[in-house]
Each structure stands twice: as structure tokens, then as C-alpha cells.
Amino acid sequence: MATSKFRSQFLESRLEVREVQLQLASDAADLGTWTWEPSTNEINCSPRFLSLINARADEPLVMDSLLDRVHPDDVAAVLAAVKSL
């Protein structure tokens, strides 16, 4: 049991390190990032992504409101990419 708990803590710390590394890389590349939580339909995104889509941090963002901000020619490709996850 102790080994399992230790491994879980180790993996969580590795995940946190990877998340920080990803954030540093996306900041350095000036990329905006977002994630979608299907169970709530909420979009969580970086400040850079908000600026790219001209959205405010206090504005609730769900998949439909995100798709409203995508160029009409690109909506099908975005939906296909999301569905492939």
C-alpha cells in the first residue's frame, strides 16, 4: 500500500512538472492553449488564447461560444479534431 501511495505521489509530481514545462514552451512560442471538459462543456484556456479569440477572462466559454469565434471555413476541421480526441 505504501508503495502504491509513493508511486501515485511521484506520478503526480511528474505530471505537475510536465504541465509547467508545457506552459513555459507555449509561452515562449506565444501560443494560446485550451482544453475542453466534455462533462461540463467548459473551455479552459490560457490568457494568450483569450487574447487571440478576443475574449475576456470573466466571460464563460463553452464549446458553442468557442466555435462561434472560429472562422466558418475552419469550423468543420476544429470539430473533426475535437471528435478525434
Side-chain angles (χ1 to χ4, degrees):
M1 184 75 140
T3 302
S4 177
K5 183 176 180 180
F6 174 76
R7 179 149 176 76
S8 175
Q9 290 172 338
F10 171 75
L11 293 173
E12 284 181 33
S13 68
R14 295 271 307 186
L15 180 59
E16 290 172 10
V17 167
R18 295 290 183 212
E19 288 174 351
V20 169
Q21 290 173 329
L22 179 60
Q23 186 60 53
L24 289 170
S26 66
D27 289 348
D30 201 27
L31 297 174
T33 58
W34 61 277
T35 57
W36 174 48
E37 179 55 51
S39 65
T40 62
N41 201 34
E42 292 178 348
I43 304 289
N44 297 304
C45 48
S46 67
R48 176 63 179 140
F49 184 78
L50 288 172
S51 71
L52 289 170
I53 65 168
N54 197 27
R56 297 186 330 262
D58 63 342
E59 179 181 348
L61 197 57
V62 295
M63 184 57 74
D64 289 339
S65 60
L66 174 64
L67 291 173
D68 287 343
R69 296 171 182 275
V70 173
H71 190 279
D73 293 345
D74 298 327
V75 171
V78 171
L79 283 173
V82 167
K83 289 179 182 178
S84 72
L85 299 177

